[in-house]
Amino acid sequence: MQAYKGILTALALAAASGIASAADEVVVYSSRIEDLIKPVFDAYTEETGVKVSYITDKEAPLMARIKAEGENTPADLLLTVDAGNLWQAEQMGILQPLDSEIVKQNIPPQYRSSTGAWTGLSLRARTIVYSTERVDPKELSTYEALADEQWEGRLCLRTSKKVYNQSLTATLIEAHGAEKTEEILKGWVNNLATDAFADDTALIQAIDAGLCDVGIVNTYYYGRLHKENPDLQAKLFWPNQQDRGVHVNLSGIGLTKHAPHPEAARKLVEWLTGEKAQGMFAAINQEYPANPDVAPSEEVSAWGEFKADTVPVEIAGKRQAEAIMLMDRAGWR
């Protein structure tokens, strides 16, 4: 049986390598689901004639696969979410610099790796969501203020196991230091109305149902729910507008170390950071374009403008281990 599995694995790798060998094809390993990437890749193929093949899975298995495949990988690009994941991929040694002036011109430096190993493609704000029935927005101000006593028994959070919250915590450490951040996290945990949720969608629904009054979510989860239910009794609030701004993270892409077709892959990344692709890529998942010259979709624009934190998003990766430790010490599960 083991020998049979080995043969199947070898055949699969050979087939994948065969796919990647074509000069007019680029292979992407993506943790973003097919519905979000296929329309964009199809548009690129229609415009250039270059086919984009892709494999979708969770980010950890994809990164482990690229590492294990080594020089034999068929993957030209890794597409995933959160700068923390991209930073991890860079630390694993599975990426190489993009070396593209076009990407540098299209995407601000805070949304790119300082080594050039990856770039952001779309942005999402991790912001406060509140009940319009039970909360006056004048009561809201900052992420830190959610640790105040007035929110005791009224706060909902997503699990600390999700990289989105780890990245938010990492930026709090960057802004305040470890001691102050731990104090904030303990205040959040003390104010919880219920156990942490597995996902942001359930958290927003809990606010809508009256289980809690405020929470912290990625904007596109709100966008999806609001599209399904225009009468949603929850709304987004932009915190920290008087100081550093709203925490922003991204989906992004990196060139694999042993990409079979680095030049073709680089051209795809350059196209993905351009105006046409940026508009499509962001709008499909109700995110913000990473290219500042491209306006958000009408629906996203309706949420209002905000000042974003300008701290480089790679800080989310650099301080990730410290963030996880503090979250655990604070009792955030």
Side-chain angles (χ1 to χ4, degrees):
M1 179 60 73
Q2 287 299 112
Y4 179 69
K5 287 182 178 177
I7 292 170
L8 287 179
T9 300
L11 287 172
L13 286 172
S17 297
I19 290 174
S21 66
D24 58 352
E25 197 161 12
V26 175
V27 176
V28 181
Y29 282 8
S30 171
S31 70
R32 307 217 75 177
I33 62 174
E34 183 175 18
D35 290 349
L36 301 181
I37 58 175
K38 187 177 186 301
V40 184
F41 290 159
D42 285 350
Y44 183 71
T45 299
E46 185 177 349
E47 187 173 313
T48 66
V50 177
K51 183 180 178 182
V52 182
S53 298
Y54 51 86
I55 293 171
T56 59
D57 201 347
K58 298 292 185 181
E59 56 271 2
L62 288 176
M63 290 190 285
R65 179 172 178 169
I66 294 170
K67 182 75 171 179
E69 289 169 343
E71 294 181 4
N72 296 316
T73 186
D76 293 298
L77 296 164
L78 172 67
L79 172 61
T80 189
V81 295
D82 202 280
N85 289 327
L86 289 160
W87 186 85
Q88 282 189 0
E90 185 178 351
Q91 299 310 299
M92 289 171 66
I94 61 175
L95 302 180
Q96 62 173 298
L98 284 162
D99 289 331
S100 169
E101 289 303 317
I102 293 175
V103 170
K104 290 177 183 178
Q105 291 167 16
N106 287 340
I107 307 297
Q110 66 264 33
Y111 303 134
R112 292 185 273 112
S113 165
S114 59
T115 66
W118 49 264
T119 182
L121 293 180
S122 61
L123 308 177
R124 68 280 298 274
R126 189 153 190 80
T127 193
I128 293 174
V129 61
Y130 69 96
S131 166
T132 55
E133 296 178 309
R134 297 179 301 281
V135 177
D136 184 338
K138 292 178 182 177
E139 299 177 83
L140 299 166
S141 58
T142 65
Y143 298 106
E144 295 85 343
L146 293 179
D148 293 347
E149 288 184 1
Q150 86 176 90
W151 302 111
E152 187 173 355
R154 303 173 68 190
L155 176 66
C156 277
L157 293 174
R158 187 173 182 169
T159 174
S160 64
K161 295 178 177 64
K162 190 60 186 179
V163 70
Y164 304 148
N165 281 332
Q166 294 166 11
S167 293
L168 171 61
T169 301
T171 60
L172 286 173
I173 296 170
E174 183 72 8
H176 299 293
E179 186 177 346
K180 177 63 176 177
T181 298
E182 185 174 352
E183 182 183 320
I184 294 165
L185 298 187
K186 285 180 177 178
W188 288 358
V189 171
N190 184 65
N191 288 344
L192 287 176
T194 184
D195 291 341
F197 288 87
D199 63 77
D200 285 6
T201 300
L203 191 160
I204 299 168
Q205 290 171 330
I207 291 176
D208 202 49
L211 184 60
C212 46
D213 295 343
V214 291
I216 301 173
V217 298
N218 280 355
T219 45
Y220 61 88
Y221 289 104
Y222 172 82
R224 291 176 190 171
L225 273 180
H226 189 264
K227 193 170 185 178
E228 293 173 8
N229 177 18
D231 297 323
L232 190 69
Q233 296 300 308
K235 192 173 180 180
L236 298 175
F237 176 84
W238 308 122
N240 297 81
Q241 293 302 280
Q242 303 306 312
D243 48 54
R244 67 182 185 280
V246 175
H247 171 65
V248 170
N249 214 301
L250 47 75
S251 70
I253 197 164
L255 180 64
T256 62
K257 183 177 181 179
H258 300 291
H261 307 105
E263 289 307 314
R266 192 171 287 111
K267 287 179 181 177
L268 172 57
V269 175
E270 290 172 347
W271 184 84
L272 287 170
T273 63
E275 290 191 16
K276 178 179 178 179
Q278 282 285 289
M280 286 183 66
F281 196 74
I284 289 170
N285 197 38
Q286 298 188 38
E287 295 178 297
Y288 296 86
N291 185 329
D293 293 332
V294 181
S297 69
E298 214 172 291
E299 190 164 9
V300 172
S301 295
W303 302 337
E305 296 183 355
F306 62 89
K307 181 177 78 173
D309 193 344
T310 58
V311 66
V313 292
E314 68 180 356
I315 289 296
K318 291 180 177 179
R319 290 195 175 274
Q320 188 177 68
E322 191 177 1
I324 292 170
M325 181 184 69
L326 287 188
M327 295 163 98
D328 186 60
R329 283 217 304 247
W332 188 355
R333 302 292 183 256

